[in-house]
Amino acid sequence: AQSVAQPEDQVNVAEGNPLTVKCTYSVSGNPYLFWYVQYPNRGLQFLLKYITGDNLVKGSYGFEAEFNKSQTSFHLKKPSALVSDSALYFCAVRDPRGTYKYIFGTGTRLKVLA
Amino acid sequence: GAGVSQSPSNKVTEKGKDVELRCDPISGHTALYWYRQSLGQGLEFLIYFQGNSAPDKSGLPSDRFSAERTGGSVSTLTIQRTQQEDSAVYLCASSFAGVNEQFFGPGTRLTVL
């Protein structure tokens, strides 16, 4: 069965420092992987996705993520954090073989300190 | 705006009553998803529509939950005989067919007393 884990409930980082939000997954075969962000009082917004191809995926707002098949990870990164990046981040996975079901992680709250 | 809309935004109901939640997807989006978000939990997949058909209903938690979609557009999620554990935020998302980004609505917060 497919699953996704976000091991950190909260990540704190100082403004201007690099940030990483971790995600690991369990899918038999090659997964489809996504990151979404939920700002306070706003709906979830798409950041980026990995389907195939280059392992480094660039997305919205300067975020990127690296697909690592051997470690079954898809960590979200940004070189320099902004206070406005403070939000709830969700990783999601879909098994491409015969299912339309997306499995979301429990979310990681990112707090960027000024 | 042309985003996904959901109604009502909040719904308070008594245990045992039926509720209907509505989702208006973005025009032209053939794929529609329903999720449930409980406090401290991730998004729980409920059902997927492609057009008016639902090829994946695997996430519906019980037979009290049902959903339909008409005209390839509006969808309603119905919960019969609500229970307190049904209290959550119900999210709808739509997308173009294929593996594309989902656009989420603001959600309906359901409280069952």
Side-chain angles (χ1 to χ4, degrees):
Chain A
Q2 55 186 357
S3 65
V4 62
Q6 293 182 243
E8 301 155 318
D9 290 337
Q10 180 158 323
V11 170
N12 295 329
V13 63
E15 187 175 29
N17 282 4
L19 69 87
T20 298
V21 182
K22 295 179 181 177
C23 172
T24 58
Y25 65 89
S26 175
V27 166
S28 300
N30 295 320
Y32 298 146
L33 294 157
F34 302 80
W35 277 100
Y36 284 83
V37 60
Q38 188 172 34
Y39 296 104
N41 300 316
R42 292 172 64 180
L44 275 90
Q45 297 176 32
F46 170 81
L47 277 179
L48 50 81
K49 68 181 179 184
Y50 172 83
I51 304 298
T52 187
D54 194 348
N55 289 344
L56 185 63
V57 178
K58 294 188 183 295
S60 307
Y61 312 120
F63 284 93
E64 59 188 28
E66 186 166 12
F67 171 60
N68 187 319
K69 188 171 184 178
S70 63
Q71 297 185 6
T72 62
S73 67
F74 190 58
H75 301 332
L76 181 70
K77 299 185 179 186
K78 187 174 182 181
S80 178
L82 300 173
V83 172
S84 57
D85 292 331
S86 299
L88 188 58
Y89 291 80
F90 290 94
C91 181
V93 64
R94 179 185 145 186
D95 186 335
R97 301 170 306 158
T99 178
Y100 303 95
K101 185 173 183 176
Y102 287 80
I103 302 297
F104 280 76
T106 52
T108 297
R109 188 164 298 282
L110 174 67
K111 190 169 184 180
V112 181
L113 307 168
Chain B
V4 177
S5 61
Q6 293 186 245
S7 61
S9 54
N10 278 285
K11 177 71 177 179
V12 180
T13 190
E14 293 179 347
K15 177 181 172 181
K17 295 284 179 70
D18 298 351
V19 296
E20 272 193 3
L21 312 180
R22 177 187 168 107
C23 172
D24 282 88
I26 291 172
S27 178
H29 281 184
T30 56
L32 187 147
Y33 301 81
W34 282 99
Y35 295 91
R36 179 166 69 174
Q37 185 176 21
S38 304
L39 193 63
Q41 304 291 318
L43 277 70
E44 177 188 4
F45 168 86
L46 297 178
I47 187 169
Y48 161 73
F49 285 94
Q50 179 57 39
N52 291 338
S53 63
D56 194 335
K57 306 179 183 180
S58 61
L60 294 177
S62 74
D63 59 7
R64 297 187 295 105
F65 288 72
S66 62
E68 66 174 12
R69 189 178 184 194
T70 55
S73 181
V74 172
S75 176
T76 55
L77 176 69
T78 302
I79 309 173
Q80 296 179 308
R81 304 181 303 281
T82 52
Q83 304 294 312
Q84 288 183 333
E85 60 262 28
D86 299 335
S87 296
V89 176
Y90 288 81
L91 295 169
C92 173
S94 71
S95 75
F96 291 111
V99 189
N100 291 297
E101 64 174 288
Q102 295 177 46
F103 291 81
F104 282 82
T108 294
R109 182 176 298 278
L110 175 66
T111 303
V112 182
L113 302 176

